[in-house]
C-alpha cells in the first residue's frame, strides 16, 4: 500500500521532520484498460438517466473505470482516479437532490470517496474515518442517503450522505473540491482529498460537526456487509465466523448468527429483510431466516472459499463464485445447482445484469457470461445439474471421485480486456532502466526517467535477460519502487533522491559540454511537473497586484528545514525546459501520488495538474521553480600512486577528491599533465596543480578538461594506464564503478598509474 508522507514535527520536538514522499505511477500505453485484478463491479441501469447502461469496475491499480453497455458491446467511457491504493468495493446511490447518481467507493488507502457517476471522473468528497483498509460497502436501495462501510480495523460505520456531503464554508486557505477529477474531459482543479474542507473526517475523525454512526462489536476484520432496501437492517461478517445483525439507525446489535467455520466473505439480504445469504471460506453458502434467527438451509456447491454472491431480484436463485474459479447457479428452494462457467482466475465479485452475470477476478479483464437472470430455470433445462449437499466435504469428495460437473457455458459472451499486470521487476545498475515481467511472461525494459517502454523482449527468461543487460556501472540508489498497483510506482524521498548525477553526454544531450552534469531527480521532476509549472506561471503572472505569486502552502519559510541543508544557489528558473531523456508521454501520462496538507494522500495525472495545487511537497516545488535542491555528497576520495616497479615519480601528496562519476580517462589525463608528458601548447604547470594542497588535495580540475586545456579523450591516445588491485581499468569506468566492482573495500580507493609505450 502507498502510505505516502508523514506528519510534521510536534511542538518542541527535536527530531528532524520527514518530508513528504513524491510518487509517480507509470501508466500503460493503453490507459483505457485496467492493469491489475478487478476487485469490484457495479451495474447501473441507465434508463432513468441515459440511453445506455453502464458497468463500473474498481481495480487493484487504484482506478475506477466506467464502461458503456450498448448494442451488445462494452466500450470505455471514463476513468475515475483519486484513490492511491487498491479499490475493494463500489455501490451506486440514487441522489434525491441532484439529478443523476452518486458512486461510492472504498479502498485500502483507508478512505471512502463519493463520485458523480456521469461526470468525467468527478470526486465530490472524501470521507475519512477508518483506521485501516476499507474492504466493503453496503447501500439502502430505497433510502439512498444511507451507506455503511467496514474494514480490517473491525470498524463498521453508517453514513448519512446528505449530512456528510453538506456544503462546508470555505476557509481562506482551503478550496472546495467541486470540480471534475478524472482523466477524460477538461483539465481539473484541486484533488478531492487534498484539502481539509474536502475531508469528512480529519485526523481526529471529525469534520464540520458530522460523525457517522459506529456499529461497535467486531473484534477483528470485517469482510462483508449487506443492507435491506429501506436501510433498517445491516448485516456484517468477517474473521469472527459469525453474521452480526445491526440496527443501522442507532448502531445497536440485534443478533448473532452462528454456523460458519471460517471467515465470512460475502453477504446478501432480501428486499424485505427476512432472509439473508452468507458465503464463507469454509466453502459453504448458508440461508438464514432472520425472524427465526437460525440457518434454514446450507449449500455445498463449491470446493473452496466462497467470495462472491449475487441473487436474482426475487431472491429465489443465487449465483456464487470464489477461489475455485467457478460460478454456480443454485435454486434456494429445491437445492438444485448447476456449474454455470469456469474461469482461469479466482472470482472476487459478481454483478447481475438481466441475462448477463459480470465476473471480476484477479485478472485485469472483466468477463460477462450468459446467466438467464430473468428466467434462471432455462439454465437448469440445459442439463448437468446436481443436488447441493449439506456438508462442505460433500462437494470436495465428489470432485476427488471424478464426478465434477461440466460447465453449461464454455466461453463468455463479453470480455472487457485489461493489460497484464507487472509481477516482477529489477532496477538496472544505470538506475534509469527497469526490467519487468508481467502475468503473461512478457519481459520489457522501461526507462523510468521518461516513463516509457524502450524495448519489448517478448516471452523470454527474465533471469537470462537480466544477466544479459548487466552493466558494470555504479549509480546511487536515488529512488525506490514497487509494482503493487500492477504497474511501476517510483518513489522519491528527499534528500536521497538528489544523490545521482551523470554526464549530459551520456544522455546524448545535443551541444552539451563534456563536463556538464545532470541530476537525475531534478530533471525527472521537471519532466513530471512541466504542465503544472507552465500553468502556474500563467496563472501567477496576474495573481497578485504587485506581481508576486505564492508557490503553495507547502513551501517552507526562512526557518524551514531547507535553510539547514546545502542548496544550489542558482536562481534561474528552468522549470519549463525539459531534456529529451525526461519527456513523459501526454497520451498515457504518469499519475502523481503525494500527501495533502490535511494529512491525506491524493493522486492525479500530470496533464491534469492546473497549477493551483498547493499540496505538492515544498522540496519538489523548490527544485522545479527555483532550481534549488539539497546537495548530496557526490565526491569520492582516493589515493593515486605509481604502480609497483614503475619508474614514474610520485606526483601527489595525500588524498585526492573528485566527483564519483569522474571517468578513469580523466585521471589518466591528469597524470599525463602532471608528468608533463603530453602538456598542451601554451600550457603552464600552475594549471596542473589547480586545487591541490599537501594535506587534502582536490582533483576538481579533473572534472573539466576544458579548464585544464586538455584535449578530449577521443582525440588523444594516453600513454598512462590506471590500475586498481593490479587490474588495468577501462578508461570509461567511473570512480564509483571502480570502487564498487574492483576495489570492493570500505577504505578509501587506491589507484596506481604506470607509463606504457605510446601506440
Amino acid at each position: 500500500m502507498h502510505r505516502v508522507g508523514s506528519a510534521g514535527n510536534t511542538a518542541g520536538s527535536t527530531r528532524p521532520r520527514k518530508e513528504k514522499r513524491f510518487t509517480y505511477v507509470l501508466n500503460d500505453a493503453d490507459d483505457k484498460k485496467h492493469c491489475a485484478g478487478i476487485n469490484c463491479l457495479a451495474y447501473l441501469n441507465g434508463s432513468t438517466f441515459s440511453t445506455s447502461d453502464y458497468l463500473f469496475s474498481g481495480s487493484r491499480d487504484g482506478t475506477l473505470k466506467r464502461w458503456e453497455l450498448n448494442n451488445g458491446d462494452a466500450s470505455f467511457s471514463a476513468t475515475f482516479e483519486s484513490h492511491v491504493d487498491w479499490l475493494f468495493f463500489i455501490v451506486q446511490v440514487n441522489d434525491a437532490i441532484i439529478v443523476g447518481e452518486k458512486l461510492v467507493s472504498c479502498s485500502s488507502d483507508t478512505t471512502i470517496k463519493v463520485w458523480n457517476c456521469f461526470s468525467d471522473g468527478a470526486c465530490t468528497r472524501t470521507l475519512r474515518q477508518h483506521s485501516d483498509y476499507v474492504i466493503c460497502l453496503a447501500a439502502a436501495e430505497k433510502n439512498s442517503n444511507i451507506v455503511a462501510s467496514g474494514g480490517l480495523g473491525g470498524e463498521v460505520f453508517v453514513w448519512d450522505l446528505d449530512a456528510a456531503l453538506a456544503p462546508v464554508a470555505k476557509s481562506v486557505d482551503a478550496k472546495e473540491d467541486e470540480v471534475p477529477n478524472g482523466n477524460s474531459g477538461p483539465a481539473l482543479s484541486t484533488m478531492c482529498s487534498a484539502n481539509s474542507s474536502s475531508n469528512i473526517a480529519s485526523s481526529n475523525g471529525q469534520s464540520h460537526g458530522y460523525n457517522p454512526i459506529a456499529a461497535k462489536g467486531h473484534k477483528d476484520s470485517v469482510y462483508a456487509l449487506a443492507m435491506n432496501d429501506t436501510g433498517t437492517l445491516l448485516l456484517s461478517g468477517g474473521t469472527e465466523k459469525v453474521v452480526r445483525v445491526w440496527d443501522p439507525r442507532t448502531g445497536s446489535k440485534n443478533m448473532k448468527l452462528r454456523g460458519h467455520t471460517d471467515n465470512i466473505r460475502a453477504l446478501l439480504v432480501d428486499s424485505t429483510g427476512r432472509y439473508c445469504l452468507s458465503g464463507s471460506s469454509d466453502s459453504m453458502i448458508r440461508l438464514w431466516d432472520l425472524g427465526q434467527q437460525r440457518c434454514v438451509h446450507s449449500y455445498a456447491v463449491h470446493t473452496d472459499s466462497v467470495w462472491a454472491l449475487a441473487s436474482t431480484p426475487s431472491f429465489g436463485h443465487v449465483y456464487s463464485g470464489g477461489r475455485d474459479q467457478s460460478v454456480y447457479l443454485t435454486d434456494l428452494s429445491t437445492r438444485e445447482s448447476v456449474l454455470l462457467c469456469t474461469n482461469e482466475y479466482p472470482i472476487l465479485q459478481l454483478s447481475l445484469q438481466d441475462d448477463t452475470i459480470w465476473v471480476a477476478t484477479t485478472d485485469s479483464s472483466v468477463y460477462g457470461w450468459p446467466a438467464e437472470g430473468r428466467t434462471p430455470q432455462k439454465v437448469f433445462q440445459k442439463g448437468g445439474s446436481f443436488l447441493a449437499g449439506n456438508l462442505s466435504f460433500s462437494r470436495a469428495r465428489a470432485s476427488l471421485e471424478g464426478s465434477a460437473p461440466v460447465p453449461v457455458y464454455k466461453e463468455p459472451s463479453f470480455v472487457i480486456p485489461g493489460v497484464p499486470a507487472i509481477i516482477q521487476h529489477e532496477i538496472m545498475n544505470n538506475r534509469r532502466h527497469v526490467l519487468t515481467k508481467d502475468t503473461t511472461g512478457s519481459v520489457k525494459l522501461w526507462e523510468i526517467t521518461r516513463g516509457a517502454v524502450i524495448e519489448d523482449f517478448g516471452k523470454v527468461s527474465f533471469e537470462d535477460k537480466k544477466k544479459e543487460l548487466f552493466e558494470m556501472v555504479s549509480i546511487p540508489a536515488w529512488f525506490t519502487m514497487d509494482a503493487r498497483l500492477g504497474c511501476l510506482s517510483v518513489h522519491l524521498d528527499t534528500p536521497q533522491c538528489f544523490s545521482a548525477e551523470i554526464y549530459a553526454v551520456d544522455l546524448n544531450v545535443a551541444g552539451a559540454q563534456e563536463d556538464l552534469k545532470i541530476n537525475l531527480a531534478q530533471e525527472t521532476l521537471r519532466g513530471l511537473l512541466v504542465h503544472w509549472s507552465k500553468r502556474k506561471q500563467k496563472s501567477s503572472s496576474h495573481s497578485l497586484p504587485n506581481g508576486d505569486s505564492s508557490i503553495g502552502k507547502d513551501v517552507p519559510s526562512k526557518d524551514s528545514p531547507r535553510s539547514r541543508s546545502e542548496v544550489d544557489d542558482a536562481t534561474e528558473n528552468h522549470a519549463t525546459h525539459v531534456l529529451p531523456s525526461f519527456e513523459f508521454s501526454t497520451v498515457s501520462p504518469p499519475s502523481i501520488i503525494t500527501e495533502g496538507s490535511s494529512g491525506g494522500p491524493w493522486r492525479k495525472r500530470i496533464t491534469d495538474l492546473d497549477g493551483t495545487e498547493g499540496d505538492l511537497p515544498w522540496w519538489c516545488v523548490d527544485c522545479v521553480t527555483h532550481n534549488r535542491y539539497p546537495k548530496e555528497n557526490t565526491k569520492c576520495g582516493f589515493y593515486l600512486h605509481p604502480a609497483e616497479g614503475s619508474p614514474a615519480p610520485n606526483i601527489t601528496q595525500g588524498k585526492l577528491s573528485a566527483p564519483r562519476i569522474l571517468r578513469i580517462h580523466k585521471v589518466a589525463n591528469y597524470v599525463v599533465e602532471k608528468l608533463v608528458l603530453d602538456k598542451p601548447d601554451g600550457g603552464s604547470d600552475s594549471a596542473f596543480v589547480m586545487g591541490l594542497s599537501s594535506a587534502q588535495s582536490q582533483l576538481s580540475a579533473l572534472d573539466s578538461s576544458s579548464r585544464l586545456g586538455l584535449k578530449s579523450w577521443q582525440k588523444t591516445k594516453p600513454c598512462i594506464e590506471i590500475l586498481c588491485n593490479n587490474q588495468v581499468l577501462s578508461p570509461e569506468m567511473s570512480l564509483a564503478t571502480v570502487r564498487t566492482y574492483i576495489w570492493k573495500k570500505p577504505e578509501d580507493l587506491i589507484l596506481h598509474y604506470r607509463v606504457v609505450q605510446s601506440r
Side-chain angles (χ1 to χ4, degrees), residues 220-238:
D220 213 334
S221 300
V222 177
Y223 285 130
L225 292 173
M227 192 180 293
N228 67 338
D229 285 358
T230 57
T232 58
L233 200 65
L234 175 66
L235 288 80
S236 63

Side-chain angles (χ1 to χ4, degrees), residues 114-321:
V114 185
W115 316 76
N116 184 330
C117 282
F118 296 103
S119 72
D120 289 328
C123 178
T124 58
R125 194 58 58 89
T126 297
L127 316 181
R128 303 182 189 279
Q129 193 79 22
H130 286 269
S131 62
D132 208 333
Y133 292 13
V134 190
I135 298 295
C136 49
L137 299 171
E141 186 174 339
K142 295 181 180 178
N143 193 354
S144 61
N145 62 316
I146 302 300
V147 172
S149 60
L152 297 189
E155 303 149 323
V156 175
F157 296 112
V158 182
W159 303 84
D160 183 334
L161 292 184
D162 288 345
L165 304 182
V168 186
K170 299 180 183 179
S171 62
V172 175
D173 62 346
K175 299 179 181 180
E176 188 65 83
D177 51 342
E178 299 170 344
V179 293
N181 184 28
N183 70 337
S184 54
L188 308 178
S189 185
T190 54
M191 290 296 294
C192 61
S193 61
N195 297 297
S196 57
S197 64
S198 66
N199 298 328
I200 289 304
S202 60
S203 58
N204 62 4
Q206 297 180 354
S207 180
H208 68 273
Y210 177 78
N211 277 316
I213 296 172
K216 298 180 179 179
H218 280 283
K219 298 180 178 64
D220 213 334
S221 300
V222 177
Y223 285 130
L225 292 173
M227 192 180 293
N228 67 338
D229 285 358
T230 57
T232 58
L233 200 65
L234 175 66
L235 288 80
S236 63
T239 56
E240 298 169 59
K241 309 171 189 176
V242 299
V243 177
R244 295 178 183 266
V245 183
W246 313 81
D247 184 340
R249 296 164 294 187
T250 62
S252 59
K253 292 179 280 189
N254 288 351
M255 68 185 83
K256 289 182 183 179
L257 304 175
R258 303 180 184 274
H260 283 294
T261 59
D262 208 336
N263 300 339
I264 294 171
R265 300 298 300 268
L267 288 169
L268 289 177
V269 62
D270 75 334
S271 58
T272 65
R274 179 179 177 183
Y275 294 103
C276 85
L277 282 165
S278 59
S280 168
S281 296
D282 63 12
S283 77
M284 295 295 294
I285 301 170
R286 292 183 179 272
L287 177 65
W288 307 84
D289 186 319
L290 299 181
Q292 300 179 23
Q293 300 188 23
R294 69 183 185 92
C295 176
V296 292
H297 286 296
S298 57
Y299 308 89
V301 296
H302 288 271
T303 59
D304 210 330
S305 302
V306 179
W307 289 347
L309 297 173
S311 71
T312 55
S314 64
F315 214 73
H317 296 77
V318 63
Y319 299 86
S320 58

Side-chain angles (χ1 to χ4, degrees), residues 429-432 473-478 496-507 515-523 568 582 629-636 658-663 703 734 736-737:
N429 287 347
N430 63 14
R431 301 291 172 179
R432 290 185 294 119
V473 295
S474 179
I475 303 291
W478 61 281
Q496 300 93 324
C497 67
F498 295 108
S499 62
E501 292 181 335
I502 62 174
Y503 287 111
V505 292
D506 293 334
L507 294 173
D515 62 332
L516 177 62
K517 294 189 288 289
I518 297 293
N519 187 286
L520 292 178
Q522 181 187 32
E523 296 303 327
D568 190 350
F582 301 88
Y629 58 89
K631 299 290 286 185
E632 287 288 280
N633 180 20
T634 59
K635 300 290 185 178
C636 176
R660 57 190 174 202
I661 63 172
L662 189 78
R663 299 293 172 83
D703 197 29
S734 68
T737 301

Side-chain angles (χ1 to χ4, degrees), residues 573-594:
N573 187 349
H574 299 288
T576 58
H577 174 66
V578 178
L579 297 175
S581 297
F582 301 88
E583 291 180 345
F584 289 86
S585 169
T586 56
V587 177
S588 54
S591 301
I592 286 174
I593 296 176
T594 191

Side-chain angles (χ1 to χ4, degrees), residues 640-643 646 648-651 671 720-723 752-754:
L640 187 60
H641 301 308
S646 172
N650 191 354
I651 62 173
V671 175
I720 293 294
E721 284 182 342
I722 307 297
L723 300 89
H752 293 91
Y753 58 89
R754 68 186 179 192

Side-chain angles (χ1 to χ4, degrees), residues 93-133:
V93 183
N94 292 324
D95 193 332
I97 301 175
I98 303 173
V99 176
E101 287 210 355
K102 294 190 184 80
L103 182 72
V104 184
S105 62
C106 66
S107 166
S108 54
D109 63 12
T110 74
T111 68
I112 300 162
K113 292 184 182 290
V114 185
W115 316 76
N116 184 330
C117 282
F118 296 103
S119 72
D120 289 328
C123 178
T124 58
R125 194 58 58 89
T126 297
L127 316 181
R128 303 182 189 279
Q129 193 79 22
H130 286 269
S131 62
D132 208 333
Y133 292 13

Side-chain angles (χ1 to χ4, degrees), residues 44-47 49-54 68-70 118:
L44 174 62
N45 189 325
S47 59
F49 311 100
S50 172
T51 57
S52 302
D53 296 338
Y54 292 95
E68 184 175 2
L69 308 177
N70 201 355
F118 296 103

